[in-house]
Amino acid sequence: MDMLHIKTLKELKESGYKSRTVKEELRENLIRELKGKNTVMEGIIGYEDTVIPDLQTAILSQHNILLLGLRGQAKTRIARLMINLLDEYVPYIEGSELFEDPLNPISWFGHHILEIKGEDTPIAWLHRSDRYTEKLATPDVTVADLIGDVDPIKAATMKLTYSDERVIHFGLIPRAHRGIFVINELPDLQARIQVALFNILQEKDIQIRGFKLRLPLDIQFVFTANPEDYTNRGSIVTPLKDRIESQILTHYPRSIEISRKITQQEARLTKSQREQIEADGLVKDLVEQIAFEARESEYIDKKSGVSARLTISAYENLISNAERRMLLNDEENTFVRISDFLGLIPAITGKIELVYEGELEGPAKVANILLGKAIKSLMITYFPDPEKLKKAKAVNPYAEIINWFGAGHTINLEDSLSLEEYKSALESIPGLKSVIKQFHPSLSNNQQLLLMEFLLHGLAEFSLISKSFLDNGFSFADMFNSLFNAEFEDDEDEDYDDNSRY
């Protein structure tokens, strides 16, 4: 910026500098960006037609903003990106703890130094990155934290009475003067603390231990919150909500494609992981489908939501699980298999809130159920729907595979198998490879093997073959034999229980 050489108030006035409020800055810079067809919210995906237009309207209206939505919906990221709409640098009175505008001082310090030095008042410059303040609302936040308190040490050191404005230690909000102030999870703030924000938002009055200061604070407020019906820790008091002019509703990605773009953008992978581990579009879609299934699952609390962080963590675990196998087998590269999805369980279980039915099943079992439903949903996009084939009485392309298992054969696919062992196991199943070639003729060898394993999982989800979980993989067998064995084992258990009574 060519004005950074300005060091005094006189030079600033001679440059023709004009003061603007934060909201005016945001508005005018947004107008320039919109006219230039520039991307205002870089990295925000899926909100182009919903949240972003609402946000732009609020900024043009110079409103304080409440971003309301479930966890993992980029609320905080949106707030942080708003600093890009501020001027790169703004001048302030050097030494001012409130970074006061030299043309519009608001504190005793600002008025005093202008009175003493006049046109020679020293000027410094503040970068927009230093004009952003963020506070996570927690029950232990006090009025002193946000607004300020009387500092007895300052009073004693400077030999001032408690009635002097200079003994006040300003909190986070006054120190955010001429910037953006964000309070995350607003409902978690105690009601009495929320009440303390009323006058700041409307009348610009600050009350600290009996002081009534008329500080015309210049702040763009942004609040984030979960919907009140979910948050059991508190709610936004109605008068405060009334003073926040624009409430913008966020949402989860509305399609697999958008969700996949977000995951690929946010996943933290090393250079070696990107180069050595191949992740097909199928496995990427499967990760996203798990989240979509979770948001509709009867086992998961819908009011809590399923964060986008679930798919990001799950994808990172998926790649790392494949990398672990590659390292153990001394291979130079590998590709993600369906059996690697067992590595997703830790990423899923910590990010879902279970309802009572889900608690009965247990988080790990719910995670496996979600994986199964995701496979079943994607199965019919890659292969003919087994249920429709049965209803139409059409030729079943899976017959040879099903009959092979029906003859008593089983196969174990562990996530530690080397490429040769994995390939040998899959190719030992008659008819499996031919089905892949019939419906997907032009695939690489790795893609063929992946789809062969995927088809086995798909057939199991449609109850045409059975699938059981191993400690580090899956076992496939005939459906009817598995059912018979399970019933037989149950009978044995019942006999044992009967005998144990005597």
Side-chain angles (χ1 to χ4, degrees):
M1 185 177 176
D2 57 0
M3 296 182 73
L4 293 179
H5 65 279
I6 293 173
K7 300 297 181 183
T8 65
L9 178 59
K10 181 181 180 181
E11 293 173 354
L12 185 67
K13 289 179 177 178
E14 289 174 349
S15 72
Y17 174 81
K18 293 183 179 179
S19 297
R20 293 187 296 176
T21 66
V22 174
K23 290 183 169 71
E24 286 172 347
E25 259 184 71
L26 291 168
R27 171 184 160 80
E28 291 171 21
N29 290 337
L30 175 60
I31 290 171
R32 187 187 69 245
E33 296 297 318
L34 291 176
K35 285 182 176 178
K37 311 296 182 190
N38 297 323
T39 303
V40 178
M41 292 286 162
E42 191 72 38
I44 301 296
I45 300 171
Y47 286 167
E48 295 82 1
D49 300 320
T50 52
V51 177
I52 300 301
D54 291 342
L55 181 69
Q56 292 169 348
T57 300
I59 292 172
L60 292 173
S61 299
Q62 301 185 56
H63 284 176
N64 293 311
I65 297 165
L66 170 62
L67 296 169
L68 188 66
L70 297 173
R71 56 183 178 176
Q73 292 185 352
K75 300 186 294 295
T76 303
R77 169 169 284 202
I78 289 171
R80 289 175 179 174
L81 286 173
M82 284 178 64
I83 63 170
N84 295 329
L85 290 173
L86 295 172
D87 291 343
E88 188 175 4
Y89 287 95
V90 290
Y92 69 96
I93 299 172
E94 191 172 30
S96 170
E97 61 179 333
L98 302 186
F99 302 107
E100 295 167 77
D101 186 341
L103 304 181
N104 291 297
I106 64 170
S107 73
W108 182 92
F109 173 85
H111 290 295
H112 180 67
I113 198 165
L114 278 174
E115 185 180 331
I116 294 174
K117 299 192 175 182
E119 299 282 275
D120 294 325
T121 299
I123 301 300
W125 294 87
L126 185 68
H127 190 262
R128 61 186 167 207
S129 61
D130 295 319
R131 297 171 66 194
Y132 177 88
T133 306
E134 184 178 298
K135 178 63 176 173
L136 176 62
T138 54
D140 62 338
V141 172
T142 65
V143 174
D145 294 333
L146 293 181
I147 299 174
D149 204 349
V150 171
D151 187 346
I153 297 176
K154 187 184 287 187
T157 304
M158 299 175 69
K159 298 181 179 179
L160 300 170
T161 66
Y162 280 4
S163 61
D164 195 306
E165 181 187 330
R166 287 173 286 176
V167 304
I168 294 174
H169 173 77
F170 290 111
L172 286 171
I173 291 177
R175 290 174 185 275
H177 177 55
R178 303 180 74 204
I180 297 171
F181 187 77
V182 179
I183 297 182
N184 279 322
E185 308 300 342
L186 181 60
D188 289 354
L189 209 59
Q190 290 184 46
R192 64 184 181 84
I193 312 299
Q194 293 185 38
V195 169
L197 300 176
F198 290 178
N199 277 20
I200 293 178
L201 286 171
Q202 201 73 42
E203 290 85 14
K204 314 297 183 189
D205 286 346
I206 291 181
Q207 291 190 354
I208 301 172
R209 300 275 185 183
F211 284 96
K212 186 176 181 182
L213 301 176
R214 182 73 178 169
L215 279 184
L217 292 173
D218 177 20
I219 298 172
Q220 168 69 58
F221 282 96
V222 180
F223 305 96
T224 74
N226 285 320
E228 290 180 77
D229 60 351
Y230 158 58
T231 304
N232 55 17
R233 297 178 295 262
S235 61
I236 305 173
V237 296
T238 304
L240 177 59
K241 211 169 185 180
D242 182 57
R243 284 167 166 78
I244 304 170
E245 298 95 335
S246 284
Q247 176 178 288
I248 299 171
L249 302 178
T250 59
H251 57 81
Y252 286 122
R254 292 177 174 172
S255 70
I256 291 289
E257 292 74 23
I258 291 173
S259 186
R260 179 169 157 179
K261 283 181 183 177
I262 294 170
T263 300
Q264 296 306 307
Q265 173 184 277
E266 299 299 320
R268 295 167 298 179
L269 303 181
T270 65
K271 183 182 178 183
S272 62
Q273 285 178 324
R274 294 183 187 278
E275 292 175 350
Q276 297 175 312
I277 298 158
E278 176 188 333
D280 190 74
L282 166 61
V283 297
K284 291 177 180 177
D285 286 349
L286 200 50
V287 170
E288 308 307 329
Q289 189 65 40
I290 289 172
F292 276 76
E293 298 292 343
R295 289 172 191 141
E296 298 299 323
S297 174
E298 61 187 2
Y299 298 119
I300 294 173
D301 187 354
K302 291 179 176 60
K303 293 178 183 178
S304 167
V306 178
S307 169
R309 287 183 281 268
L310 182 146
T311 55
I312 297 165
S313 298
Y315 185 71
E316 291 168 348
N317 266 19
L318 189 66
I319 297 298
S320 296
N321 202 73
E323 181 182 35
R324 175 179 169 277
R325 180 184 60 254
M326 178 187 74
L327 296 171
L328 290 174
N329 291 327
D330 292 325
E331 297 172 340
E332 293 184 2
N333 50 63
T334 189
F335 62 95
V336 176
R337 306 169 186 173
I338 305 300
S339 50
D340 288 320
F341 275 78
L342 284 177
L344 269 63
I345 306 301
I348 296 173
T349 53
K351 291 183 172 57
I352 52 177
E353 293 276 345
L354 301 178
V355 295
Y356 178 70
E357 292 80 0
E359 294 287 356
L360 291 178
E361 295 289 345
K365 188 171 181 181
V366 169
N368 284 319
I369 290 170
L370 295 176
L371 173 59
K373 288 186 174 182
I375 290 171
K376 189 172 183 178
S377 296
L378 289 186
M379 165 78 172
I380 57 177
T381 66
Y382 283 83
F383 300 101
D385 187 339
E387 292 178 350
K388 289 183 178 179
L389 289 174
K390 188 176 180 181
K391 290 178 182 177
K393 297 182 179 179
V395 176
N396 188 347
Y398 315 123
E400 190 176 358
I401 303 169
I402 297 167
N403 291 337
W404 184 78
F405 283 107
H409 296 98
T410 61
I411 188 171
N412 294 340
L413 292 178
E414 300 174 350
D415 64 359
S416 59
L417 294 177
S418 67
L419 177 60
E420 288 304 316
E421 292 170 332
Y422 178 70
K423 181 179 179 181
S424 176
L426 289 171
E427 290 184 346
S428 69
I429 304 172
L432 183 57
K433 191 170 186 177
S434 61
V435 173
I436 306 302
K437 287 186 174 180
Q438 179 183 349
F439 296 104
H440 300 279
S442 53
L443 294 176
S444 67
N445 291 333
N446 289 349
Q447 289 174 322
Q448 278 187 4
L449 292 172
L450 173 64
L451 272 186
M452 288 166 74
E453 184 186 5
F454 175 71
L455 180 55
L456 290 180
H457 285 269
L459 293 175
E461 293 305 324
F462 279 95
S463 301
L464 297 176
I465 60 176
S466 77
K467 176 174 72 173
S468 55
F469 292 91
L470 306 174
D471 286 340
N472 60 342
F474 302 92
S475 178
F476 298 92
D478 176 55
M479 191 72 200
F480 298 106
N481 284 342
S482 298
L483 287 173
F484 177 76
N485 290 336
E487 289 173 2
F488 184 73
E489 287 170 5
D490 289 343
D491 290 342
E492 282 188 338
D493 290 341
E494 287 174 10
D495 291 342
Y496 176 80
D497 289 341
D498 289 339
N499 292 333
S500 65
R501 294 175 192 155
Y502 297 99

